[in-house]
């Protein structure tokens, strides 16, 4: 291994260094100067994005490049996902600063833990080896467990963290078990060598399928798709909104990359087997997520169930196993992260005086209180429901088109039907905002960076929809489609 | 039956029995001690595979450090097991069904012919006398698995941060010394001389 090789991991090394720097700097800061931590974290993200953009391997005419003896891979898909992780985390930080200040939780731990989680996300996106995948995943999970329990006074938060921890450990166990089976069957931990081994000895081996089942179960737990979704509503509900905002957006992109690498790069030969499993998971998630969300009166829980259904759509993109399918799935997961950040950002915006605005009723009459914020929330909801012009529509359309191209007609029909069912609870929020009388007349106040970020986030949902072709083209070309 | 096989089966039996005991005994201290036994047995099985370094590390780290710490925690906390075992009987049928089904599936996969026998995985030739297990492991860790090795370190760091973030509390009103203030103290701040007239002697009548 030489230095140019190691430079491929420069964005990760930078994030790791800065996370440690922030950890140390915080020791010497007085309480009232904690804003410096926020600035440092933002600088970290900006420079990480700049370093990621300097993709030297592309200028050498390579489609991808590996480092650390093949356990780390840089490719366009990984770079795009990393850039969006950094961007969404930046938005998350701006929203969170306002929330954490308001709820007296503005501590540097939030930033260090989430930066370590970001490191895990970036490594998982670039992982090309079973060991790296597992370690990256654990890094995200461990940081997330601690973040969920971040509000130490909150009993609900501790309970959610405990549930998350127990179920997450079980999922990791499943995943490890599957990995050991795959290793036993192929004799390698490198995904490319695994694929070679499978193609030489044939993919019908019972042991391989057995290992794959465990892998898919572990993956489903981490993505939070039915029937492995139980933790999602409780964790999203119990965690502070700033943390829910984080775990519902950034790690999803890593989970997509992990699913792609494990199932396509590693086990591409077993496509027929995993397609069946994933289509079952996808359809169950879309049905149950949308139906259960209707019954919620708590917006955090409602968005949690909506996450489950969105993850079902992401799985649908993986199903065909074609480049255009993966491109559609990647586009969906990016779009979902942006929408989810805006949705939870609005919850933060309406939270005031130590009370989280987590009930649907808190959105009543938002239009009369502030029409611009109401418009942003309406755009988020329309986009999540998949109304045309907004970006969510194009994501759903691409994914359903990919499923149709692969001949999964019944799956596409079910997805469309339950998108319409799902539109009910999204539009209910719009109705509450525009046609109901406000419960409170108190003005909505937020610092200028928050207002700028949420406006940008809302405009992005509309703008990416109107000018959707460029991002779609980027996603598709990542897979060479 | 060669001696290595006898040793292997002996230790694996002890290992399985100890593992079962860990989850069935009522006393948490006994459970921890059974876990120690399980670690010892697996270390012995590792010895049979000629991975001396890992075997010794397992005993040093897990038995020597982790389990001792664990025993401390068990003794410090007053754990009442009764409420935790309340639902045990209710969940037992479901649990046993799942366990049996999974065990059967595993047996079908692992015991089917030719999958894990000597033709698929031939016995490796014995290492020469100069072979060092520790050196081989170290070389692998710091070359092929450098990234994984460093990542494991980062995960440990996160564990430390998380533990401190979740438990550390700023105590108000705790008494502590400030050495620099103690050194800089002036005589005036500590001693106050008061001029007063001598009191008349009392109780001398």
């Amino acid at each position: 291994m030489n230095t140019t090789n190691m430079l491929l991991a420069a964005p990760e090394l930078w994030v790791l260094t800065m996370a440690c720097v922030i950890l140390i700097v915080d020791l010497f800061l007085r309480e009232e100067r904690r804003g410096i931590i926020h600035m440092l974290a933002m600088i970290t993200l900006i420079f990480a994005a700049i370093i990621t953009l300097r993709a030297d391997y592309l200028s050498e005419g390579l489609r991808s490049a590996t480092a650390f003896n093949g356990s780390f891979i840089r490719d366009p898909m990984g770079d795009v996902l990393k850039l969006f992780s950094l961007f969404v985390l930046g938005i998350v930080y701006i929203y969170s600063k306002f929330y954490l200040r308001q709820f007296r939780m503005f501590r540097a731990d939030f930033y260090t833990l989430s930066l370590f989680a970001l490191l895990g996300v970036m490594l998982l996106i670039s992982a090309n080896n079973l060991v790296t995948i597992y370690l990256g995943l654990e890094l995200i999970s461990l940081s997330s467990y601690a973040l969920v329990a971040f509000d130490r006074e909150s009993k609900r938060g501790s309970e959610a963290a405990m549930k998350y921890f127990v179920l997450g450990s079980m999922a990791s166990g499943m995943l490890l078990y599957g990995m050991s089976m795959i290793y036993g069957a192929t004799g390698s931990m490198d995904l490319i060598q695994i694929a070679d081994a499978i193609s030489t000895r044939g993919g019908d081996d019972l042991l391989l399928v057995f290992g794959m089942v465990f892998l898919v179960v572990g993956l489903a737990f981490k993505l939070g798709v039915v029937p492995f979704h139980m933790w999602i509503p409780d964790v999203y509900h119990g965690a502070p909104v700033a943390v829910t905002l984080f775990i519902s957006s950034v790690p999803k992109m890593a989970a997509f990359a992990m699913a792609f690498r494990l199932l396509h790069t590693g086990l591409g030969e077993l496509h027929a087997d995993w397609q069946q499993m994933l289509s079952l998971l996808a359809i169950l998630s879309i049905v149950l997520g949308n139906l259960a969300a209707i019954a919620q009166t708590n917006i955090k829980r409602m968005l949690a169930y909506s996450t489950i259904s969105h993850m079902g759509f992401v799985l649908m993109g993986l199903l065909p196993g074609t480049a255009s399918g993966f491109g559609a799935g990647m586009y969906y997961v990016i779009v979902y992260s942006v929408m989810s950040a805006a949705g939870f950002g609005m919850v933060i915006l309406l939270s005031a005086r130590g009370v989280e605005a987590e009930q649907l009723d808190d959105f009543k009459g938002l239009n009369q209180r502030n029409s611009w914020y109401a418009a942003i929330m309406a755009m988020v909801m329309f986009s999540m429901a998949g109304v045309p012009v907004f970006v969510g529509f194009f994501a759903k359309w691409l994914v359903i088109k990919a499923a149709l191209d692969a001949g999964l007609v019944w799956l596409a029909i079910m997805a469309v039907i339950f998108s319409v069912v799902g539109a009910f609870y999204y539009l209910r929020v719009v109705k509450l905002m525009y046609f109901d009388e406000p419960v409170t007349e108190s003005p909505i106040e937020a610092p200028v960076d928050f207002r700028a970020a949420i406006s940008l986030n809302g405009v992005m949902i509309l703008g990416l929809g109107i000018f959707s072709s460029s991002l779609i083209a980027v996603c598709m070309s990542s897979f060479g489609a | 039956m060669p001696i290595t096989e006898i040793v292997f089966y002996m230790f694996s039996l002890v290992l399985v029995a100890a593992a079962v005991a860990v989850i069935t005994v009522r006393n948490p201290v006994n459970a921890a001690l059974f876990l120690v036994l399980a670690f010892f047995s697996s270390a012995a099985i590792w010895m049979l595979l000629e991975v001396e370094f890992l075997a010794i590390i397992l005993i040093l780290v897990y038995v020597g450090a982790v389990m001792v710490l664990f025993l401390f925690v068990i003794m410090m906390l007053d754990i009442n097991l009764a409420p935790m075992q309340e639902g045990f009987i209710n969940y037992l049928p479901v649990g046993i069904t799942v366990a049996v089904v999974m065990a059967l599936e595993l047996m079908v996969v692992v015991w089917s012919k030719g999958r894990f026998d000597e033709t698929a995985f031939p016995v490796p030739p014995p290492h020469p006398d100069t072979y060092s297990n520790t050196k081989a492991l170290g070389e692998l860790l710091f070359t092929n698995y450098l990234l994984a090795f460093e990542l494991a370190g980062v995960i440990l760091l996160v564990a430390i941060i998380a533990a401190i973030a979740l438990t550390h509390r700023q105590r108000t009103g705790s008494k502590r010394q400030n050495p620099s203030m103690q050194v800089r103290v002036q005589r005036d701040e500590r001693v106050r001389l008061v001029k007063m007239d001598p009191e008349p002697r009392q109780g001398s009548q």
Side-chain angles (χ1 to χ4, degrees):
Chain A
M1 195 188 59
N2 49 33
T3 32
T4 48
N5 225 342
M6 215 154 138
L7 275 180
L8 285 172
E12 283 79 6
L13 296 178
W14 162 255
V15 171
L16 173 62
T17 314
M18 285 307 287
C20 295
V21 166
I22 288 176
L23 195 62
I24 302 291
V25 166
D26 178 54
L27 293 178
F28 299 98
L29 282 182
R30 265 171 297 145
E31 179 114 25
E32 61 272 15
R33 311 201 49 191
R34 284 267 165 77
I36 295 176
I37 297 291
H38 178 80
M39 293 310 297
L40 276 176
M42 294 302 275
I43 291 169
T44 308
L45 298 182
I46 292 167
F47 276 91
I50 293 172
I51 301 170
T52 310
L53 279 171
R54 272 186 49 106
D56 290 328
Y57 65 97
L58 286 178
S59 57
E60 286 164 22
L62 299 166
R63 284 282 302 153
S64 65
T66 59
F68 297 103
N69 201 43
S71 57
F72 182 93
I73 186 167
R74 276 287 290 276
D75 55 6
M77 175 200 82
D79 286 354
V80 173
L81 283 176
K82 276 182 208 174
L83 286 174
F84 273 96
S85 310
L86 294 165
F87 172 73
V88 174
L89 189 60
I91 294 181
V92 167
Y93 277 161
I94 295 174
Y95 295 163
S96 305
K97 187 181 73 159
F98 177 52
Y99 173 87
L100 295 172
R101 281 233 158 102
Q102 222 179 345
F103 287 76
R104 303 188 179 289
M105 283 192 276
F106 194 56
R107 302 198 306 266
D109 313 335
F110 179 82
Y111 289 92
T112 39
L113 283 173
S114 53
L115 278 178
F116 277 115
L118 172 72
L119 177 67
V121 165
M122 294 170 81
L123 280 162
L124 187 52
I125 288 174
S126 277
N128 199 30
N129 179 308
L130 294 183
V131 182
T132 327
I133 288 180
Y134 177 69
L135 289 173
L137 187 67
E138 279 306 282
L139 191 52
I140 304 176
S141 310
L142 272 178
S143 319
S144 313
Y145 303 147
L147 280 172
V148 170
F150 190 67
D151 183 6
R152 293 184 303 212
E153 314 299 322
S154 154
K155 233 181 143 176
R156 221 173 54 186
S158 316
E159 190 193 321
M162 206 59 218
K163 280 178 187 163
Y164 193 16
F165 178 70
V166 171
L167 285 178
S169 321
M170 213 167 86
S172 299
M174 293 278 184
L175 198 71
L176 268 186
Y177 203 72
M179 284 176 175
S180 68
M181 288 284 162
I182 302 280
Y183 178 68
T186 59
S188 174
M189 291 203 276
D190 187 286
L191 289 180
I192 292 162
Q193 283 171 22
I194 288 174
D196 287 347
I198 295 174
S199 61
T200 50
R201 63 182 271 183
D204 54 356
D205 196 337
L206 188 61
L207 186 61
L208 272 175
V209 177
F210 196 67
M212 191 192 65
V213 172
F214 279 94
L215 278 189
V216 170
V217 169
L219 210 60
F221 252 115
K222 296 293 173 188
L223 273 170
V225 290
V226 181
F228 308 104
H229 65 288
M230 315 300 188
W231 58 275
I232 293 234
D234 285 345
V235 170
Y236 279 28
H237 183 199
V241 194
V243 174
T244 311
L245 170 68
F246 173 71
I247 55 175
S248 74
S249 53
V250 182
K252 299 291 181 205
M253 290 191 252
F256 169 79
M258 172 180 151
F260 168 74
R261 299 226 196 264
L262 269 180
L263 296 179
H264 183 71
T265 316
L267 303 175
E269 293 271 331
L270 302 176
H271 173 241
D273 293 301
W274 57 254
Q275 189 185 37
Q276 280 181 345
M277 295 181 210
L278 290 198
S279 54
L280 196 66
L281 295 175
I283 199 68
L284 283 176
S285 309
I286 293 172
V287 172
L288 198 128
N290 278 324
L291 288 181
I294 294 175
Q296 307 304 320
T297 54
N298 182 306
I299 188 150
K300 277 161 96 182
R301 287 189 92 85
M302 188 195 98
L303 287 175
Y305 280 106
S306 111
T307 305
I308 295 171
S309 74
H310 284 300
M311 287 304 118
F313 277 100
V314 172
L315 281 189
M316 258 177 86
L318 289 167
L319 282 178
T322 56
S324 59
F326 292 127
M330 178 179 165
Y331 182 65
Y332 201 103
V333 81
I334 290 173
V335 165
Y336 167 73
S337 297
V338 173
M339 294 191 299
S340 172
F344 284 109
M346 286 302 296
V347 178
I348 289 180
L349 177 67
L350 294 187
S351 304
R353 285 181 290 279
V355 184
E356 288 184 359
E358 54 177 21
Q359 295 303 321
L360 279 177
D361 287 348
D362 291 317
F363 281 83
K364 268 187 183 169
L366 183 61
N367 186 41
Q368 291 173 35
R369 292 168 70 193
N370 188 318
S371 52
W372 173 232
Y373 294 144
I376 293 174
M377 189 63 183
M379 285 197 280
V380 175
M381 289 294 126
F382 279 132
S383 177
M384 281 193 174
V387 174
V389 182
F390 297 102
V391 67
F393 165 74
F394 294 97
K396 278 204 170 66
W397 181 59
L398 277 180
V399 165
I400 290 171
K401 185 166 157 284
L404 276 178
D405 288 346
L408 301 161
V409 180
W410 62 276
L411 191 64
I413 293 173
M414 290 293 271
V416 172
I417 292 173
F418 280 90
S419 299
V420 177
V421 173
F424 168 74
Y425 62 88
Y426 293 122
L427 296 183
R428 183 171 59 189
V429 178
V430 177
K431 178 233 163 206
L432 286 176
M433 289 191 302
Y434 282 91
F435 300 108
D436 282 18
E437 287 303 312
V439 184
T440 159
E441 284 296 340
S442 60
I444 302 165
E445 282 158 357
V448 62
D449 55 346
F450 188 102
R451 277 178 283 158
I454 196 124
S455 302
L456 172 74
N457 205 336
V459 169
M460 252 180 93
I461 288 170
L462 183 62
L464 281 179
I466 296 171
F467 307 103
S468 56
S469 54
S470 51
L471 182 57
I472 293 174
V474 167
C475 290
M476 290 298 174
S477 69
S478 301
F479 296 95
Chain B
M1 199 186 260
I3 184 81
T4 47
E5 271 188 42
I6 298 173
V7 174
F8 171 77
Y9 282 113
M10 200 179 78
F11 277 110
S12 11
L13 268 181
V14 174
L15 173 59
V16 172
V20 171
V22 170
I23 51 171
T24 48
V25 293
R26 289 195 163 266
N27 187 334
V29 177
N30 287 356
L33 290 175
F34 271 116
L35 198 54
V36 171
L37 181 60
F39 284 142
F40 260 111
S41 318
S42 30
I45 293 174
W46 259 350
M47 274 297 191
L48 283 180
L49 289 173
E50 298 183 22
V51 279
E52 301 86 4
F53 181 73
L54 289 180
I56 292 167
I57 283 294
L58 185 72
I59 291 187
L60 280 185
V61 175
Y62 273 87
V63 179
V66 176
M67 285 319 293
V68 170
L69 209 67
F70 211 77
L71 276 175
F72 268 125
V73 173
I74 291 173
M75 289 182 184
M76 301 261 203
L77 299 177
D78 182 24
I79 304 170
N80 188 5
L81 280 181
M84 279 187 232
Q85 289 170 339
E86 237 166 37
F88 187 69
I89 297 293
N90 295 345
Y91 297 123
L92 199 61
V94 183
I96 286 182
T97 318
V98 172
V100 167
V101 168
M102 278 185 75
L104 281 178
E105 284 174 348
L106 272 180
M107 282 174 197
V108 168
V109 171
V110 174
W111 277 347
S112 55
K113 211 153 178 55
R115 189 157 287 136
F116 280 122
D117 61 5
E118 276 131 16
T119 47
F121 291 93
V123 180
H127 296 296
D129 289 346
T130 50
Y131 176 79
S132 162
N133 178 240
T134 317
K135 186 166 171 245
L137 200 71
E139 274 177 4
L140 211 56
L141 268 189
F142 288 102
T143 53
N144 287 4
Y145 293 99
L146 180 66
L147 183 67
F149 182 72
E150 297 296 335
L151 252 176
V154 175
I155 289 179
L156 286 182
L157 178 63
V158 169
I160 297 172
I161 298 171
I164 294 174
L166 294 183
T167 54
H168 177 74
R169 281 187 167 73
Q170 204 84 49
R171 290 212 172 80
T172 50
S174 64
K175 308 243 186 285
R176 63 178 80 179
Q177 292 181 318
N178 186 344
S180 79
M181 294 289 281
Q182 286 176 326
V183 171
R184 268 187 294 158
V185 76
Q186 297 290 313
R187 178 174 163 275
D188 311 344
E189 294 168 33
R190 290 293 150 90
V191 186
R192 189 163 57 97
L193 289 181
V194 183
K195 264 256 188 283
M196 59 184 286
D197 295 328
E199 296 275 322
R201 205 181 150 122
Q202 286 176 356
S204 61
Q205 278 102 339

